[in-house]
Amino acid sequence: MENIFSIPEECTCGRKHSVITGVCVLKENVHTDMLRWLQENNYKKVAVFCDENTEKYTKNFESAADICVLKGNVHATETYAAEAIEYTKNHNAEILIACGSGSIHDITRYAAHELKLPFVSYPTAASVDGFMSGIAAMTWYGQKHSFPSTPPTAVFADHAVCADAPERLTASGVGDVLGKYVSLFDWETAHILTGEYICDTIKQLTNDAVTEVRKAIANRANLSKLDYTRNVLYALLISGLAIQLTGNSRPCSASEHHMSHLWEMELINEEADGLHGEQVAIGTLLVMDKYDKAMKKGLDYEKIKNINLEKVFSHEYLEPVYGKITDGILKENMPKGTYESSSLHGIRIDDVAKIDEAIHAAWAKIPSMDELRGLMQKADCVSRLSEIGLPDEEEFIEKTLQYAPYVRDRLTLLKVINACERN
């Protein structure tokens, strides 16, 4: 079967990128290709994971697999992961299929990784970028974690199935992709400040995903719902490929995602009804506003040079928000238990003028907030917290901006700014 992606054998970054996903097919009625692929590869014991919304799509392949319908409001948690692992063991499955969107894929890929089994991606909505990735974003005992997991051996994506999903899900996918502007800026900023690894080929892949979505938005009035969904789905698959090639979510997830993760952890808010991509879209706009003000004011490199890590990673500072998981957050940010193991410790300011010029050049690549908001509106993306059941108040926004950077150890400009404010 023909793979829709062509992966370069060599990369200018000097690293060899491994790709697990040998087959990626995007077409209508793709389930027939999937059934043939399973047969050709002699997979007889197949377990499919879905939820009550996506169960209807399993009828296309229920004759060749055992179907596990995860009940309730399914999220990627330790509880659902344990259920998937137990089901797989009880049915002696040789391969798993994720029939659903983000949560179903994270649960399935985590179970596959734990049991050392391959899995297949069968997306049912163009709503998230994780279909091809090897990262399982899980809420584990209340704390958001990204677990290295199994990328899909194959992806069979039917844009007709995804077009059948509520349009809100496709808009969520658009929001997830447009958030890559901030992801890429944060990656470049971390590279400039610390020398963190960066790859131009993977950056270009992520930019290609954004370009595909922008073209889809621009041509939306002339596209059928089927074609529009296909274009968004293709962009999401590109993003997932960038994650897989990197080996982590760096090119596609930074401060805008950390905002979403904090809200999902429900530490400063009650349970909201925002989809992942919706939260990312709003987080993107809020972070861009913060960055725009910081860039216009000018970054304080003396403060950046003298960040007080003892203050930044003070249990007393973090505990009012993170509560019982504060120790876990500190471990995330200081993986070796020392301040020196934090991403902030790697900052080196040798030539202020050169560094400032490079950061401003990276910022100049990003469209203005008004332009980005306009794109989101044309795609029916949400853009305000109140649209997903969260408060629009300035106090809530500031609290999010203040504490979200600590969800991950990943260096972002938001974490740098916050750390400087702690000096």
Side-chain angles (χ1 to χ4, degrees):
M1 294 177 188
E2 185 177 352
N3 195 325
I4 64 172
F5 296 116
S6 176
I7 309 300
E9 292 184 5
E10 297 183 4
C11 187
T12 55
C13 76
R15 291 191 181 183
K16 289 186 177 180
H17 302 296
S18 60
V19 181
I20 303 298
T21 308
V23 173
C24 184
V25 185
L26 174 56
K27 59 185 283 192
E28 289 186 67
N29 297 313
V30 77
H31 64 275
T32 58
D33 297 77
M34 184 170 71
L35 289 170
R36 186 169 71 253
W37 181 87
L38 289 169
Q39 186 176 33
E40 288 173 352
N41 286 276
N42 201 32
Y43 287 117
K44 295 183 172 62
K45 290 282 189 178
V46 182
V48 178
F49 294 97
C50 62
D51 60 23
E52 292 168 300
N53 294 317
T54 62
E55 180 184 8
K56 60 184 177 180
Y57 301 115
T58 66
K59 297 187 186 304
N60 291 326
F61 38 83
E62 62 183 357
S63 62
D66 294 311
I67 312 297
C68 176
V69 184
L70 300 175
K71 303 290 186 180
N73 187 16
V74 177
H75 291 292
T77 65
E78 73 283 353
T79 303
Y80 282 109
E83 184 177 341
I85 289 171
E86 183 179 10
Y87 185 92
T88 302
K89 289 179 177 178
N90 290 342
H91 289 77
N92 298 313
E94 304 168 298
I95 191 168
L96 312 183
I97 297 176
C99 176
S101 189
S103 293
I104 291 294
H105 272 73
D106 285 328
I107 292 164
T108 305
R109 88 173 77 250
Y110 180 86
H113 183 75
E114 287 296 296
L115 297 172
K116 296 180 172 54
L117 294 174
F119 95 96
V120 171
S121 167
Y122 185 82
T124 58
S127 57
V128 292
D129 66 0
F131 302 124
M132 284 190 70
S133 87
I135 302 296
M138 313 282 287
T139 302
W140 210 255
Y141 296 100
Q143 184 176 345
K144 201 75 182 183
H145 288 282
S146 289
F147 292 108
S149 296
T150 303
T153 299
V155 176
F156 296 94
D158 189 331
H159 49 293
V161 167
C162 293
D164 184 52
E167 292 185 5
R168 178 187 179 188
L169 292 172
T170 305
S172 172
V174 171
D176 201 358
V177 174
L178 291 178
K180 309 309 174 207
Y181 279 120
V182 173
S183 304
L184 289 172
F185 171 73
D186 273 333
W187 195 14
E188 287 199 60
T189 299
H191 174 68
I192 293 163
L193 290 175
T194 70
E196 180 184 326
Y197 163 78
I198 199 166
C199 173
D200 289 337
T201 300
I202 295 172
K203 276 171 49 186
Q204 187 56 52
L205 265 180
T206 310
N207 273 313
D208 288 347
V210 177
T211 300
E212 287 294 326
V213 157
R214 292 195 64 151
K215 286 194 295 186
I217 295 170
N219 297 323
R220 190 178 181 189
N222 302 315
L223 292 172
S224 67
K225 183 180 179 182
L226 193 66
D227 288 338
Y228 178 73
T229 305
R230 185 187 191 283
N231 291 351
V232 174
L233 182 58
Y234 181 66
L236 292 166
L237 292 171
I238 293 175
S239 295
L241 177 61
I243 295 170
Q244 187 176 150
L245 289 169
T246 310
N248 58 60
S249 61
R250 183 41 135 164
C252 298
S253 173
S255 53
E256 78 298 332
H257 271 68
H258 301 163
M259 305 274 278
S260 172
H261 292 336
L262 183 64
W263 297 328
E264 288 166 2
M265 291 162 70
E266 298 172 13
L267 296 168
I268 62 172
N269 54 274
E270 300 293 329
E271 183 177 2
D273 62 356
L275 300 171
H276 170 73
E278 291 176 332
Q279 294 174 169
V280 167
I282 296 168
T284 297
L285 294 173
L286 294 176
V287 168
M288 284 188 67
D289 183 53
K290 181 80 171 181
Y291 284 6
D292 190 51
K293 290 173 182 174
M295 299 298 280
K296 286 176 179 174
K297 181 181 179 181
L299 299 176
D300 190 331
Y301 289 99
E302 279 303 310
K303 283 190 175 182
I304 294 175
K305 284 181 184 179
N306 296 292
I307 288 173
N308 188 328
L309 295 179
E310 187 174 351
K311 275 189 177 181
V312 172
F313 299 121
S314 160
H315 195 285
E316 183 181 14
Y317 169 60
L318 296 172
E319 197 274 335
V321 163
Y322 286 105
K324 63 182 180 182
I325 64 169
T326 302
D327 288 342
I329 292 296
L330 288 170
K331 184 178 180 181
E332 166 68 29
N333 284 272
M334 297 184 290
K336 294 181 181 179
T338 62
Y339 298 129
E340 290 75 17
S341 61
S342 162
S343 60
L344 284 168
H345 185 263
I347 294 174
R348 297 291 180 269
I349 309 293
D350 298 321
D351 187 331
V352 170
K354 183 178 179 180
I355 287 173
D356 192 58
E357 182 182 2
I359 291 176
H360 275 83
W363 180 246
K365 299 174 188 175
I366 297 180
S368 70
M369 213 168 88
D370 286 343
E371 183 182 354
L372 194 56
R373 192 186 297 276
L375 287 168
M376 290 181 180
Q377 288 174 345
K378 288 180 182 178
D380 297 321
C381 300
V382 301
S383 59
R384 295 182 64 84
L385 287 165
S386 55
E387 295 178 82
I388 59 170
L390 293 173
D392 278 322
E393 285 83 357
E394 191 63 30
E395 182 181 352
F396 179 78
I397 292 170
E398 284 304 313
K399 198 168 190 178
T400 301
L401 289 165
Q402 184 180 357
Y403 286 97
Y406 303 102
V407 170
R408 291 277 183 277
D409 182 40
R410 183 164 293 165
L411 191 73
T412 65
L413 184 60
L414 187 60
K415 179 172 274 189
V416 173
I417 292 170
N418 182 274
C420 288
E421 290 171 352
R422 293 284 297 148
N423 278 5

